[in-house]
Each structure stands twice: as C-alpha cells, then as structure tokens.
C-alpha cells in the first residue's frame, strides 16, 4: 500500500482517505463522495480495529460483509480498498501507542477508557500506510473527529481533515453499522436520541441557558422510551469538550444511550 501510495504521490495525484470499519451505509458513502470532489485517488480502509474495543464490547459481533462493501465502494468510484488482517496490522511485537489525553477522558472516553488510544494508534498507522493528502471523518463520531484533528496538529501529520455532517434515516436516527443489532421495538426506542436532541435544541433556541435543566429534559425524554439506558448526556464546549453550565455560545450536546444491548451515540452542535 505504501509503495502504491507513493506512486500516486509522485504522479502529483491527490489522495483522499476515508477510514472505516466496513458494513458501509449512506453515512460512509457521503464521506466517500466528499473525498471524491477534492481528491484524484480515493482510498478507503475497512478494518475492525480490535484495540479500540473494550473486553466486554462487540468486537466479535461487529457486522462484516466484504463483498457487499466492495460493490458499494466500486459504485462510488473508490480506487482502492485497504483491507488488512489483524496480523498485518499488529505484529506480536507491537509496543507503541499514540494517546491524546484530556480530550479522551470525557464523553465516550469515560465508559470506554481505552477506546481512543486504539483509535489514535490505528489512525496513525493507517495514515502512514495510505499517505493521504486529506482524510474525511464523520461528525457522527464528533469526539473522534476532534481527537484526530488534534493529533494531526500536535504530531504534524502533513494532511488536512474534513469533518462531514451526520447522515440520518428519514425519521432522524443517525445511520450506524450498529443499527442492525436493533429489534423492531428497539428501533423505535432508538429514535429517542434524535428526538431528545431536537427537544434540547428547541429549548436553547427559545432562550434556555441552564445546561442542567436541559440535560434533565433530555434524560426524561429518553427514559420515556422502553429499553433505554443512558450512558451519558453532556453539554460541552465544541473545541475543548469541557462542560458548560451556562449556554452563552455554540455548544455540543452529545449523548450515548444503550437501547437494549446496543450502545448508540448522537450529537448536535447548537449555534446561538
Ligand atoms: P465506522 O465505520 O463506524 O468506524 O465509521 C467510519 C467513518 O464514517 C467515521 O468517520 C464515522 O464518523 C463516519 N460515519 C459513521 N456513521 C456516519 C453517519 N451516519 N453520518 C456521517 N458519517 C458517519
């Protein structure tokens, strides 16, 4: 992959890269389309990275269907799918990790303590392998996009990052490979994330400034749906991820909710 990437670079072609864990949906495809507008060569990776999963998480269950993904990627004009095996990515001697402190011990980092170290480490490896001029990430994983943006700055990666908007189902549920775990009843309850974010946005637009009160309203809204268990609801500064008690500027409202056994995340940036 490095040799091939170098050839593209020497020809002066711009490489756009979209890292994924596969089981592609419209969210992933929107990232690919953005990459295609800007790049000459579009590379995606499909790799379910074991080091970003906790011991009790869904690594083994995570949906995989390479031939379906390959077909979708081809239709979108992807030039190369980088699809490594675990042994190719992590030799048994692998020691080195990349960590971004502060930004990773809040929000999803609280209940997934090793997750972001896995993400920053695998992205570093993928960036060195694929040698992109720019990478495209989704706002769906807002914290991840912020951590990668910061890593790119802090460690002088010579590339640009683009963050693409969240693609949703017609009823508002954010698209996710994990949505396919949901039963029909759980699928109804999964709407609670989008509904409660909408509710919160409405309150802020009406002038509500008290974060605790808004968080309480979100909590009540989510808990009114069966099968839901809240992991976290946070209203934070979109750049530092520090909690904001009073809403006086744009905020990130981020949440994670278990619906049955499936952990779903969603977020809104609310501008005032
Ligand atoms: P994943 O395969 O879930 O690791 O996601 C790969 C990339 O696609 C990440 O940058 C995600 O943020 C992005 N992504 C996943 N779901 C969506 C969505 N519904 N809308 C936009 N981007 C998404």
């Amino acid at each position: 992959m490095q040799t091939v990437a170098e050839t593209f670079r020497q020809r002066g072609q711009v490489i756009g890269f979209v890292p994924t864990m596969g089981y592609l949906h419209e969210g992933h495809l929107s990232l690919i389309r953005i990459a295609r507008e800007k790049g000459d060569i579009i590379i995606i990776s499909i790799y379910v990275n074991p080091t970003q999963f906790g011991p009790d998480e869904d690594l083994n269950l995570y949906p995989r269907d390479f031939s379906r993904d390959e077909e979708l990627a081809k239709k979108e004009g992807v030039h190369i799918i980088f699809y490594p095996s675990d042994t190719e990515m992590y030799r048994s001697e692998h020691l080195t990790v990349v960590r971004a402190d502060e930004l990773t011990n809040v929000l999803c980092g609280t209940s997934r303590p090793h997750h972001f170290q896995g993400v920053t480490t695998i992205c570093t490896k993928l960036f060195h392998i694929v040698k992109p001029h720019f990478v495209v990430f989704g706002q769906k994983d807002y914290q991840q996009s912020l951590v990668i943006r910061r890593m790119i700055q802090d460690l002088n990666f010579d590339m640009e990052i683009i963050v693409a908007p969240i693609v949703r189902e017609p009823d508002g549920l954010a698209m996710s490979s994990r949505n396919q775990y949901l039963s029909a009843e759980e699928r109804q309850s999964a709407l609670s994330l989008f509904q409660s974010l909408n509710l919160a946005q409405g309150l802020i637009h009406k002038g509500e400034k008290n974060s605790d009160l808004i968080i309480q309203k979100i909590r009540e809204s989510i808990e009114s749906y069966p099968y839901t268990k809240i992991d976290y609801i946070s209203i934070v500064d979109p750049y530092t991820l520090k909690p904001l008690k009073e809403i006086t500027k744009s905020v990130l409202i981020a949440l994670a909710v278990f619906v049955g056994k499936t952990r779903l995340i969603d977020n809104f940036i609310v501008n005032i």
Side-chain angles (χ1 to χ4, degrees):
M1 184 67 250
Q2 284 175 319
T3 310
V4 172
E6 200 48 47
T7 314
F8 293 136
R9 282 185 157 257
Q10 278 172 11
R11 286 192 210 136
Q13 289 170 307
V14 173
I15 303 176
F17 178 42
V18 180
T20 83
M21 299 205 297
Y23 214 70
L24 302 181
H25 52 67
E26 276 297 317
H28 299 113
L29 302 185
S30 74
L31 271 45
I32 292 171
R33 286 174 202 140
I34 288 171
R36 224 178 36 204
E37 274 172 32
K38 245 184 92 78
D40 301 312
I41 299 293
I42 308 311
I43 302 178
I44 70 167
S45 59
I46 296 180
Y47 183 56
V48 183
N49 172 38
T51 66
Q52 70 192 65
F53 286 78
D56 300 323
E57 293 183 351
D58 57 341
L59 173 63
N60 293 325
L61 277 179
Y62 199 86
R64 294 160 168 91
D65 187 343
F66 182 75
S67 48
R68 177 178 163 280
D69 287 348
E70 187 181 27
E71 208 165 293
L72 286 169
K74 262 191 196 158
K75 267 198 210 136
E76 294 299 331
V78 168
H79 298 93
I80 293 185
I81 303 176
F82 180 60
Y83 179 54
S85 66
D86 285 341
T87 46
E88 279 172 306
M89 286 313 276
Y90 293 104
R91 301 177 308 142
S92 54
E93 300 90 346
H94 187 102
L95 286 178
T96 312
V97 295
V98 178
R99 240 178 46 208
D101 292 337
E102 263 176 68
L103 285 180
T104 61
N105 51 27
V106 293
L107 308 184
C108 288
T110 311
S111 54
R112 307 187 75 190
H114 305 292
H115 172 69
F116 287 108
Q117 177 173 309
V119 170
T120 41
T121 303
I122 195 66
C123 283
T124 297
K125 288 166 70 65
L126 289 169
F127 294 171
H128 285 137
I129 293 168
V130 172
K131 304 180 188 242
H133 294 87
F134 69 95
V135 290
V136 190
F137 283 78
Q139 189 198 317
K140 162 84 188 338
D141 300 86
Y142 182 92
Q143 188 176 11
Q144 166 174 277
S145 70
L146 195 69
V147 168
I148 296 297
R149 183 186 292 283
R150 189 59 175 272
M151 181 186 89
I152 287 174
Q153 285 169 353
D154 289 351
L155 299 183
N156 308 89
F157 280 86
D158 189 11
M159 61 186 60
E160 188 194 335
I161 174 168
I162 298 170
V163 179
I166 302 176
V167 177
R168 299 178 178 281
E169 300 287 355
D171 64 1
L173 176 66
M175 290 196 181
S176 164
S177 308
R178 290 191 168 99
N179 290 348
Q180 61 103 36
Y181 296 146
L182 301 167
S183 69
E185 294 84 8
E186 289 169 347
R187 173 67 182 75
Q188 291 298 314
S189 289
L191 250 196
S192 62
L193 286 85
F194 177 70
Q195 296 286 12
S196 63
L197 286 167
N198 253 327
L199 175 93
Q201 177 171 256
L203 290 171
I204 295 172
H205 283 162
K206 278 195 202 126
E208 184 55 65
K209 296 199 170 0
N210 181 336
S211 291
D212 286 342
L213 188 142
I214 294 167
I215 288 172
Q216 184 53 30
K217 294 280 183 206
I218 296 176
R219 180 176 301 282
E220 283 165 16
S221 162
I222 292 172
E223 286 176 346
S224 72
Y225 290 78
Y227 314 110
T228 55
K229 188 168 151 280
I230 295 165
D231 180 3
Y232 70 83
I233 305 165
S234 299
I235 299 184
V236 299
D237 178 296
Y239 303 102
T240 63
L241 304 184
K242 297 242 188 309
L244 293 171
K245 284 277 168 213
E246 202 191 339
I247 300 171
T248 54
K249 53 176 184 167
S250 299
V251 293
L252 170 75
I253 312 179
L255 41 82
V257 178
F258 285 93
V259 179
K261 289 199 171 111
T262 307
R263 185 175 176 282
L264 301 176
I265 56 172
D266 202 345
N267 67 80
F268 274 20
I269 292 179
V270 183
N271 296 307
I272 57 171

